[in-house]
Amino acid sequence: TFPESSISDEGLALVAVLCRGLQDLTVASRLATDVGAAAVLRGCRELRHLRLGGDGVTDVTLQLLHSLKQPRLERFALWYSGVSSSGLRWAAEAMYWTHFDVDVSEMS
């Protein structure tokens, strides 16, 4: 696991604006939600690996990822997230180009 940060959705939005060519991002924060994940997915179109930790990231993020048709994203890892098992099953089938890693343990 990664140490938890205090980056918020606003911080992720700044990352999306300032780091458009970013290819790898890891964020573990209780302050990160679907809003911040959306900013990163829309702004950082070169992302190949995205790892997000925080229960504010839900199935909404998976649906957005699918709608973006972002085939460069090779690996999407989630831990301590609010993503449902049915949402994850759907995403794995709908986005065969992306490998999903999920850790269901709780953030301490």
Side-chain angles (χ1 to χ4, degrees), residues 14-77:
L14 280 174
V15 167
V17 169
L18 299 174
C19 305
R20 292 206 174 273
L22 193 66
Q23 293 186 10
D24 194 317
L25 178 63
T26 300
V27 174
S29 175
R30 295 177 195 272
L31 304 176
T33 70
D34 292 320
V35 172
V40 168
L41 289 170
R42 286 187 177 118
C44 302
R45 302 294 294 177
E46 298 299 316
L47 269 178
R48 294 188 183 281
H49 301 102
L50 178 59
R51 291 172 294 282
L52 291 175
D55 56 9
V57 178
T58 70
D59 292 352
V60 170
T61 294
L62 297 177
Q63 293 165 359
L64 172 66
L65 176 60
H66 182 259
S67 74
L68 292 175
K69 302 292 187 210
Q70 187 168 346
R72 283 194 170 101
L73 191 63
E74 299 166 3
R75 182 170 294 257
F76 190 17

Side-chain angles (χ1 to χ4, degrees), residues 54-55 57-62 78 80-88 102:
D55 56 9
V57 178
T58 70
D59 292 352
V60 170
T61 294
L62 297 177
L78 295 162
Y80 319 118
S81 76
V83 171
S84 70
S85 58
S86 61
L88 187 61
V102 178

